Amino acid sequence: MVHLNMQIVGSISAVSSSLHVGKAGPMVHTSACIAALMGQGGSKKYLLTWKWLRFFKNDRDRRDLVTCGSAAGIAAAFRAPVGGVLFALEEMASWWRSALLWRAFFTTAIVAIVLRALIDVCWRGQCGLFGTGGLIMYDVTSVDVAYHLRDVPSVIILGVIGGILGSVYNFILHKVLRIYNLINEKGTAYKILLACSISIFTSCLLFGLPWLAPCLPCPLDATEPCPTIGRSGNYKKFQCPPGQYNDLASLFFNTNDDAIKTYSARTPTLSASYGRFVGMLVSSGSNLNHGLYAVLGSASLLGGSMRMTVSLCVIILELTNNLLLLPLIMLVLLVSKTVADAFNGNIYDIIMKLKGFPYLEAHAEPYMRQLMVGDVVTGPLQVFHGIEKVGTIVHVLRTTGHNGFPVIAEPPLSESPVLFGLILRAHLITLLKTKAFLHAPEPIDVDAFKYFSANDFAKKGLVKMTKFKI
Amino acid sequence: MVHLNMQIVGSISAVSSSLHVGKAGPMVHTSACIAALMGQGGSKKYLLTWKWLRFFKNDRDRRDLVTCGSAAGIAAAFRAPVGGVLFALEEMASWWRSALLWRAFFTTAIVAIVLRALIDVCWRGQCGLFGTGGLIMYDVTSVDVAYHLRDVPSVIILGVIGGILGSVYNFILHKVLRIYNLINEKGTAYKILLACSISIFTSCLLFGLPWLAPCLPCPLDATEPCPTIGRSGNYKKFQCPPGQYNDLASLFFNTNDDAIKTYSARTPTLSASYGRFVGMLVSSGSNLNHGLYAVLGSASLLGGSMRMTVSLCVIILELTNNLLLLPLIMLVLLVSKTVADAFNGNIYDIIMKLKGFPYLEAHAEPYMRQLMVGDVVTGPLQVFHGIEKVGTIVHVLRTTGHNGFPVIAEPPLSESPVLFGLILRAHLITLLKTKAFLHAPEPIDVDAFKYFSANDFAKKGLVKMTKFKI
């Protein structure tokens, strides 16, 4: 399950990087990795281990830690603490407990407070580019959000197109990832070759495309130096003559904060540009601000691809700080998710299925109803009795690769054969290692909890335990 | 479970009215009642029944409907759609499914869009007082939210005091409700007497207290008529001479929207006034706006009493439309919930326990681990066999009040006694009513799903079925 959750995090990071959400992916991944490390009781290899971490060394706490870690990642990347909690709730956790909600909220509250404190410390620019953006990345409070009933049809059209484009994006991603999988299977050399060629290709695009963009004259009312070379700013000189700047280069070679802040105002980018485009098309029938169409466009495309509703809504709200947009954002997300759901699954499910992770769906597939336990276990079945010789157990563990063994009490110990349950290989190994043997083959009514604690049977990190070694 | 959920809704409405949240309580209650009515398949008594409603006539859909209904109520009352979803998630639903999240989001999105459309239609004041408030009830966007690290200690103190006061509030409420329960048990006359005396007492306070308040001169820069009689407005004349207004009367006899909008700016009210008071006390060490202290004060008191985190946070954000407040609100909620949890449970749990509703806690009480099934069922046990005579079943149903009967197959039908499961009285009655009898006492391998659908066994509304009637 932890492995699984880590992989969801992996897919999220893949998605967010591919959707140009920028630093969110790596940040979510990093936070979740730190959480998983704590859930393993630290790392002995890198001498990062503390004694108190052993309290988290069980499946449930490890899962909770990874969930909270990803919430912290989203909270830090988007500076959207409530969005982080909701993201963890909507995408990460299969089963939600009220304790988990409280823990995730605690985590992101700490993130918000630390972030705000650091922004406070760094406000004079002592920390490089950090802290200049403030808590709200892309503030549209000043934009006058006046919309009326007649704007609704164009917003619905935006949602439908966004849903279709989002599902098309998922479809293409599926195909591309399958090609990647085929290449990766051929060996390490091919893997490295693939990574290198993608990186070279992207670099060529990033550096080559701006050469095709025309140079624009610097605006007279620019509040920052224009054009600039070798420093952050919204007016990159690139190949342009003095007094002019390159539009596309400014977008590509900018910090994420600045790019987000300017993207809807001036420069076109992936999903927002689509919204702006639709906005221009339908602008005859509606008098909504084009910038608002850009925000709604990104919402619809993200909704069509990720299929999140509440969390996406809150993240966009926390990015833009304008609650008056809420009804329109909700409408566009509803429409785009509904439309996209008619075509294919959400992007995380697609990636997890492609990677072959053992993901347990909320609903069983219809064919599974016909399955018996015998259809899915590896035979021949090895059964242990209520009282068993140590030698037999060791022999069975050595000769089979089974992970669990049914325990059955037979006459004369009981009147009729009774299935006690299943004992796991890992638990047997723990019992053997602690030499919890009895000399006489007698059934005893001993309370096992006196000699063992749940901690003794907790998984020790992610070390593989499939082979039995004494 | 539906009954239970309705009761949670009831407690919420009790809480919100007692906490002066005003119209939220009745609105949540109304929405949940409508949802419950739909879940029962409409009401035959009031001729409100449609055929398609029978699709919701099962426990799960009914529960989901009530949850979505309460979300819609919060969304409409506070004009906080996302807050509504989170409220339903945090307080209403014991088990959360992703489908439920999506349904609740859908419900509140419709609420938000309809609300926005109605505000759009009513903006010229054609609909009485509705629509004048806009989507954001208490806008503090214009307030300059400048806070620094040195403000944190005073906010933490505010949270601690809020937590203590919140738990004291819960404690007093518990005592008062117990007295009410004792009075109500004495009969209907006492119930009516209690309701009348409370209503007279409240009316006396509402009408009497403003007489004690001094008259204030109308501000020269007032944007509305001052003083007013017999119409809505923030400057009520009451007993004052012309040119003056009564402060307290303006608060009491105002619409909720206007009261919320002005409460932090001018007039003191329940929880916000406490925040303002603390703000004034600690203002020497901090330069936070007193209005912000008022908001934080209400957050801390609500957090200390209701113990909600994420939903309260979002509802306050949606009321105030200022995301810059987020870190401080999160901090104050964290502190107040933690402090209050040390003293007693949240207000909903207290009310439910007092009313004696069968609420299933997430964790079992320690003593329950020792309980056997035999300790909680009514004896003597009535067992049915795999094949049973209709006459026997009817006799047992008539003579006992049991709600469920174990079904056991015994030799010669099976090798050893096997417990098939439990059959409910309601299901037996359904089978008897449809005359699903066999003439020969033979075990048949018939697929029961061919003759019955899950709908046949669904509960029919909230009609009591404890007594067997043919």
Side-chain angles (χ1 to χ4, degrees), chain A residues 109-125:
Chain A
I110 302 292
V111 170
I113 293 157
V114 169
L115 204 60
R116 187 62 188 70
L118 285 178
I119 289 173
D120 202 25
V121 169
C122 296
W123 69 281
R124 276 182 214 271

Side-chain angles (χ1 to χ4, degrees), chain A residues 116 120 147-149 318 326, chain B residues 120 147-149 318 326:
Chain A
R116 187 62 188 70
D120 202 25
Y147 54 92
H148 301 283
L149 276 180
E318 287 188 290
L326 191 55
Chain B
D120 202 25
Y147 53 91
H148 301 284
L149 275 180
E318 287 187 290
L326 192 55

Side-chain angles (χ1 to χ4, degrees), chain B residues 158 271-283 290 293-294:
Chain B
L158 195 73
S271 44
S273 65
Y274 138 72
R276 176 175 285 270
F277 178 68
V278 174
M280 284 170 179
L281 284 185
V282 298
S283 58
H290 286 180
Y293 270 111

Side-chain angles (χ1 to χ4, degrees), chain A residues 337-419:
Chain A
K337 182 183 149 77
T338 311
V339 168
D341 271 346
F343 295 108
N344 50 24
N346 83 52
I347 199 162
Y348 305 116
D349 287 354
I350 290 176
I351 296 178
M352 278 198 292
K353 210 169 277 174
L354 262 180
K355 300 243 170 190
F357 297 131
Y359 181 66
L360 212 59
E361 298 277 350
H363 295 280
E365 297 282 334
Y367 76 90
M368 289 180 186
R369 284 168 204 229
Q370 315 300 331
L371 286 180
M372 312 284 281
V373 174
D375 296 332
V376 290
V377 296
T378 329
L381 191 64
Q382 293 286 347
V383 176
F384 286 134
H385 299 285
I387 295 172
E388 194 67 77
K389 277 187 187 164
V390 175
T392 322
I393 294 174
V394 172
H395 175 75
V396 169
L397 288 180
R398 274 195 205 277
T399 50
T400 68
H402 298 186
N403 202 33
F405 306 90
V407 180
I408 286 174
E410 281 181 345
L413 282 175
S414 66
E415 286 170 33
S416 52
V418 172
L419 175 69

Side-chain angles (χ1 to χ4, degrees), chain B residues 17-260:
Chain B
S17 6
S18 64
L19 275 177
H20 280 255
V21 186
K23 64 185 173 187
M27 232 152 156
V28 174
H29 212 152
T30 311
S31 323
C33 286
I34 296 171
L37 207 65
M38 289 174 72
Q40 287 174 36
S43 161
K44 274 184 192 155
K45 194 174 165 194
Y46 299 106
L47 295 173
L48 286 168
T49 175
W50 295 274
K51 247 197 162 171
W52 55 269
L53 282 179
R54 79 196 139 85
F55 294 112
F56 305 120
K57 242 182 173 176
N58 59 68
D59 282 353
R60 202 183 65 180
D61 280 341
R62 210 177 294 159
R63 218 159 48 216
D64 284 7
L65 275 171
V66 173
T67 310
C68 292
S70 72
I74 289 277
F78 291 112
R79 305 192 183 169
V82 179
V85 176
L86 292 177
F87 176 82
L89 157 70
E90 205 169 348
E91 276 306 326
M92 291 292 297
S94 328
W95 294 106
W96 195 260
R97 300 174 299 129
S98 61
L100 189 54
L101 186 71
W102 168 235
R103 280 169 203 182
F105 183 78
F106 191 90
T107 316
T108 61
I110 301 293
V111 170
I113 293 156
V114 170
L115 203 60
R116 188 61 187 73
L118 285 179
I119 288 174
D120 202 25
V121 169
C122 297
W123 70 280
R124 276 183 215 271
Q126 301 99 312
C127 319
L129 292 172
F130 174 82
T132 51
L135 208 61
I136 294 155
M137 289 190 161
Y138 167 45
D139 201 331
V140 295
T141 320
S142 53
V143 177
D144 183 33
V145 191
Y147 53 91
H148 301 284
L149 275 180
R150 66 173 177 279
D151 300 322
V152 170
S154 59
V155 171
I156 290 176
I157 294 170
L158 195 73
V160 171
I161 303 174
I164 293 171
L165 288 183
S167 62
V168 167
Y169 177 87
N170 287 5
F171 177 78
I172 295 172
L173 188 88
H174 180 82
K175 297 288 167 208
V176 170
L177 283 182
R178 267 185 64 185
I179 296 170
Y180 282 10
N181 274 358
L182 288 177
I183 296 172
N184 283 336
E185 274 168 15
K186 290 191 175 172
T188 320
Y190 282 88
K191 273 188 192 176
I192 296 171
L193 208 67
L194 179 68
C196 290
S197 54
I198 290 170
S199 132
I200 291 168
F201 179 67
T202 326
S203 307
C204 287
L205 280 188
L206 278 178
F207 199 75
L209 283 179
W211 288 96
L212 304 176
C215 292
L216 297 175
C218 282
L220 295 173
D221 56 345
T223 52
E224 50 185 309
C226 171
T228 59
I229 304 178
R231 62 180 297 280
S232 80
N234 291 319
Y235 303 100
K236 298 280 178 201
K237 188 166 179 285
F238 211 66
Q239 93 291 12
C240 293
Q244 295 196 315
Y245 74 99
N246 189 313
D247 208 16
L248 206 53
S250 309
L251 178 69
F252 284 162
F253 304 114
N254 210 339
T255 59
N256 282 308
D257 284 25
D258 288 335
I260 289 176

Side-chain angles (χ1 to χ4, degrees), chain B residues 260-316:
Chain B
I260 289 176
K261 262 185 254 164
T262 45
Y263 83 134
S264 143
R266 190 164 46 86
T267 8
T269 187
L270 192 65
S271 44
S273 65
Y274 138 72
R276 176 175 285 270
F277 178 68
V278 174
M280 284 170 179
L281 284 185
V282 298
S283 58
S284 54
S286 150
N287 54 358
L288 269 187
N289 188 319
H290 286 180
L292 295 186
Y293 270 111
V295 173
L296 294 176
S298 23
S300 74
L301 205 52
L302 289 172
S305 169
M306 300 199 194
R307 314 287 160 84
M308 302 192 295
T309 49
V310 189
S311 45
L312 206 50
C313 198
V314 171
I315 289 173
I316 291 172

